[in-house]
Amino acid sequence: MNVAKHYRLLNNFMIFISVAGVAVALLDSGFTLSTWLQQVFHIFYLAIIFLGFILTAGRYLYTKKPLTLNKVAVFDLFTSTAILILLAAHFTDLVRLGLSGPVDGFVAIKIAVFVTFIREISDHDFNLKRTFLNPAQFFILSFLAVVLVGALLLMMPNATTQPLSFIDALFTATSAVCVTGLIVVDTATYFTTFGQVIIMGLIQIGGLGILTFVTYFSYFFKGGVSYETQASISEMSYMRGMVDVMSTLKSILYVTFAVEAVAAALIYISIYDLPNMDWTEQLFFSVFHAVSAFCNAGFSTFSAGLYDDSLRFNYPLQLIIAITFIFGGMGFSIVVNVLRYLRYRAERLIYRRSDQRCAYQPWLLNINSRITLITTGALLLIGLTGVMMFEYNNVLADHTSFFGKLVTGLFTAATPRTAGFNNIDMGELAFPTIMLTIFLMWIGASPNSTGGGIKTSTFAIALLNTLSLARGQTKVEVFKRQIAEISIRRAFSIVWLSLLVIGTGVTLISYDQPELDLIKVVFECFSAYSTVGLSLNLTAELSDFSKMVVSVIMFVGRVSMLTIFIALLKNMRQPNYRYPTEEITIN
């Protein structure tokens, strides 16, 4: 009993010092410190990973279950071996050189500290329902916490080439976590490689959500998560049931990292001949843009983005990035469902119809996927047609071949769907294209994706509801299915709340800076709410107050105003009665 009690105390202590170790490692990386202080931190890191190694070994020595070679055991074996090698090498250097010697291998040690932190925090019981916050509040505060921490990290001297104000750091962190892409300082020249890595990390966390990572690591190391946590995740993600919650979360991570890896490899191949870039810079460019594209962030390490002279005629690169952000904007559940459907169709084709393993499965491609795919395809076609019509002899005139115009037009039509990359000069767009872009930005990506906007399904339901009313129908039906009343009510709420937030933002910015062009302000607010990142070259002209307004719009657009209302009103008691129904005169 005493051993178990001491083990729990050591576990709690390890969580505390591993968090402290990660914080110290970040500060150590962000500031230039004296050699002796670096060595003190060095010893602190070694102590953390040594205690982590002892605690990991204790899990297997004091367990009552027979040892098995599972994924956790393989992970612990691999990391423990690496940590033993690191400890041996670094303790030898400390004994030989003392505190006055140079510090080498710091990156490996810091990675080991971070891995120890992940291992210890994941082994701790995680349960959303046991917290004092409801799921919606936890979701909102987790994003807010990441934004604030990200802003502080971006202000560190080693993250920037020149001092960065708190307002600009907060704006940049909000834009990264909310996967928007609006910038007030040039990402390419204002941030060092360390700062760009921080931005890339914020994009990845913001795109997937910190809750996804926490839940998955808890599942990986503990073998499962509580029923209450699964129920909370299902509620926040609007999943119909809890049967596939963990499998969906695993699929999200696997699909995300697989697509980003493939995209990075293809991007690297497409830029192999870029001048003035060695292979390490090309590799970082590829990884950064793959993450930014799949998460629909729109950040680029080039000052002019994809409009840079060395990139805007690279059509293979533009197609790769376009396909990546379209894939990311489809929604994780849709992507998983489509992949399962394609696998099913491939198996049916290979095994024909004689094998029972490929028995006919009706409605494998569910109604959400069908509506999303049709709406996405229709919007891409509308956008491409509009861009080719309005810009053929304008911003597309620099592209001499029809193929070049087509690729650039397709990219320009797809990027308002919350991607935010630009391969044209946005300030030169014709007014009809600007209005079309605003419309596409407002709709945005698909549900449960890395993108923003009111979402394709919301637009589709609103359109179907309008057509149903025009036909005199009392129900909304599509694909021989009736749309649930709660979905129609939710779509209506999302539509009017989005216009309320955007309208408030336009009013506040116009009041603070009346000299700004109104259409540019409207464009900026729609772009911020839908987490797109496109701008008519206005962002740099915003005052500090306007930057804060845009930051709030980006944050509200990412977490959704409906989620904020749910966080504030969810715990109100529902009355157990029903009033008589009355019809209200509308027009």
Side-chain angles (χ1 to χ4, degrees):
M1 187 67 180
N2 288 334
V3 173
K5 182 180 179 180
H6 292 156
Y7 177 80
R8 284 195 300 269
L9 289 174
L10 181 59
N11 191 2
N12 293 331
F13 176 71
M14 271 304 303
I15 292 175
F16 173 76
I17 66 166
S18 62
V19 171
V22 172
V24 169
L26 290 172
L27 292 175
D28 189 11
S29 302
F31 294 86
T32 302
L33 305 176
S34 59
T35 302
W36 73 268
L37 187 56
Q38 288 183 3
Q39 286 287 17
V40 170
F41 286 162
H42 192 189
I43 296 173
F44 181 53
Y45 302 147
L46 294 177
I48 290 174
I49 61 176
F50 177 73
L51 288 175
F53 172 78
I54 296 298
L55 195 59
T56 300
R59 289 189 181 97
Y60 293 93
L61 293 176
Y62 295 104
T63 183
K64 296 180 180 179
K65 299 178 181 179
L67 295 178
T68 57
L69 190 64
N70 52 30
K71 58 186 179 182
V72 179
V74 171
F75 176 87
D76 286 337
L77 179 63
F78 175 78
T79 55
S80 297
T81 303
I83 283 173
L84 277 177
I85 296 173
L86 277 175
L87 288 172
H90 284 264
F91 271 125
T92 301
D93 288 341
L94 282 174
V95 171
R96 182 168 54 89
L97 300 174
L99 292 177
S100 60
V103 179
D104 297 320
F106 245 108
V107 175
I109 286 292
K110 291 174 183 176
I111 292 175
V113 170
F114 182 74
V115 170
T116 302
F117 162 73
I118 292 294
R119 182 66 177 94
E120 299 306 322
I121 201 73
S122 300
D123 199 58
H124 192 69
D125 289 331
F126 171 69
N127 195 330
L128 276 177
K129 286 292 185 181
R130 294 177 187 171
T131 65
F132 61 91
L133 302 171
N134 66 43
Q137 292 168 343
F138 183 87
F139 176 75
I140 292 170
L141 290 179
S142 67
F143 268 97
L144 185 59
V146 175
V147 167
L148 293 176
V149 171
L152 294 176
L153 293 178
L154 291 176
M155 292 180 67
M156 294 190 300
N158 291 348
T160 59
T161 56
Q162 51 189 299
L164 186 68
S165 68
F166 176 74
I167 296 295
D168 289 345
L170 184 66
F171 188 99
T172 304
T174 305
S175 183
V177 174
C178 298
V179 290
T180 304
L182 291 174
I183 56 174
V184 287
V185 294
D186 184 12
T187 307
T189 59
Y190 220 93
F191 294 99
T192 62
T193 302
F194 176 63
Q196 292 171 357
V197 169
I198 292 174
I199 292 175
M200 183 169 63
L202 294 175
I203 291 172
Q204 190 74 86
I205 294 174
L208 295 179
I210 192 170
L211 186 61
T212 300
F213 289 101
V214 172
T215 307
Y216 177 75
F217 284 130
S218 179
Y219 168 82
F220 180 86
F221 289 109
K222 296 182 71 65
V225 294
S226 70
Y227 176 87
E228 293 173 330
T229 298
Q230 292 188 58
S232 300
I233 295 172
S234 177
E235 179 183 344
M236 283 186 291
S237 305
Y238 300 114
M239 295 182 183
R240 290 179 296 177
M242 293 182 293
V243 177
D244 296 327
V245 169
M246 288 313 305
S247 63
T248 301
L249 286 182
K250 288 191 293 182
S251 299
I252 287 173
L253 289 173
Y254 297 160
V255 168
T256 296
F257 294 129
V259 172
E260 288 176 352
V262 172
L266 294 176
I267 291 173
Y268 184 83
I269 294 172
S270 68
I271 61 167
Y272 72 94
D273 57 347
L274 273 183
N276 304 321
M277 288 182 68
D278 58 30
W279 72 271
T280 56
E281 293 172 326
Q282 291 177 354
L283 181 62
F284 181 74
F285 174 93
S286 303
V287 174
F288 186 96
H289 284 77
V291 173
S292 183
F294 185 80
C295 292
N296 279 233
F299 277 87
S300 176
T301 55
F302 275 37
S303 297
L306 300 185
Y307 186 63
D308 188 89
D309 291 337
S310 60
L311 299 177
R312 61 175 163 155
F313 298 108
N314 189 336
Y315 304 125
L317 171 65
Q318 294 178 22
L319 284 175
I320 293 166
I321 291 180
I323 292 172
T324 304
F325 66 64
I326 290 173
F327 207 67
M330 285 176 60
F332 297 113
S333 58
I334 306 299
V335 169
V336 171
N337 184 239
V338 170
L339 291 176
R340 287 175 180 171
Y341 176 77
L342 293 176
R343 184 180 66 180
Y344 162 73
R345 298 303 301 179
E347 290 176 349
R348 291 273 291 179
L349 184 64
I350 294 173
Y351 296 106
R352 304 300 177 182
R353 299 188 179 182
S354 58
D355 199 319
Q356 292 298 318
R357 289 176 297 176
C358 300
Y360 175 69
Q361 300 181 37
W363 281 92
L364 186 59
L365 191 64
N366 60 44
I367 189 171
N368 284 303
S369 299
R370 298 183 187 207
I371 290 177
T372 297
L373 292 173
I374 291 174
T375 308
T376 299
L379 292 174
L380 282 174
L381 182 60
I382 292 171
L384 176 60
T385 303
V387 171
M388 294 294 286
M389 182 186 303
F390 302 133
E391 303 295 339
Y392 195 87
N393 295 316
N394 188 25
V395 297
L396 300 181
D398 291 341
H399 303 271
T400 55
S401 66
F402 178 77
F403 176 74
K405 293 179 186 291
L406 185 64
V407 171
T408 306
L410 177 63
F411 192 99
T412 305
T415 195
R417 307 289 312 290
T418 83
F421 288 99
N422 66 295
N423 60 347
I424 58 172
D425 184 358
M426 297 298 298
E428 297 297 322
L429 288 177
F431 185 79
T433 310
I434 292 175
M435 297 304 297
L436 176 62
T437 303
I438 289 175
F439 172 71
L440 295 175
M441 289 194 300
W442 180 59
I443 296 174
S446 301
N448 292 326
S449 71
T450 57
I454 64 170
K455 304 301 173 58
T456 52
S457 58
T458 300
F459 175 74
I461 290 174
L463 180 60
L464 290 170
N465 186 44
T466 303
L467 295 175
S468 176
L469 289 172
R471 292 168 181 163
Q473 297 174 331
T474 59
K475 298 174 292 185
V476 179
E477 297 174 336
V478 62
F479 296 121
K480 297 182 179 181
R481 293 291 188 274
Q482 180 178 333
I483 305 298
E485 182 68 23
I486 184 63
S487 297
I488 299 173
R489 292 169 55 194
R490 188 181 293 130
F492 173 78
S493 298
I494 290 172
V495 167
W496 85 262
L497 285 173
S498 70
L499 296 177
L500 175 65
V501 173
I502 293 169
T504 303
V506 171
T507 303
L508 291 174
I509 294 175
S510 298
Y511 176 79
D512 182 60
Q513 294 181 274
E515 73 279 4
L516 297 178
D517 189 352
L518 181 60
I519 188 62
K520 291 185 177 182
V521 175
V522 171
F523 191 97
E524 194 86 5
C525 289
F526 269 94
S527 178
Y529 182 84
S530 299
T531 67
V532 178
L534 296 176
S535 176
L536 299 179
N537 304 326
L538 179 70
T539 314
E541 301 178 22
L542 297 176
S543 65
D544 286 347
F545 176 79
S546 297
K547 290 175 185 177
M548 292 301 297
V549 172
V550 174
S551 297
V552 172
I553 295 174
M554 287 190 291
F555 185 82
V556 171
R558 181 66 181 93
V559 302
S560 99
M561 193 66 184
L562 184 59
T563 302
I564 294 176
F565 274 13
I566 292 173
L568 297 175
L569 306 176
K570 182 68 175 178
N571 292 329
M572 292 183 65
R573 180 175 297 178
Q574 301 296 322
N576 190 23
Y577 56 82
R578 185 176 295 178
Y579 288 118
T581 302
E582 290 284 351
E583 187 169 340
I584 304 299
T585 303
I586 301 298
N587 55 17

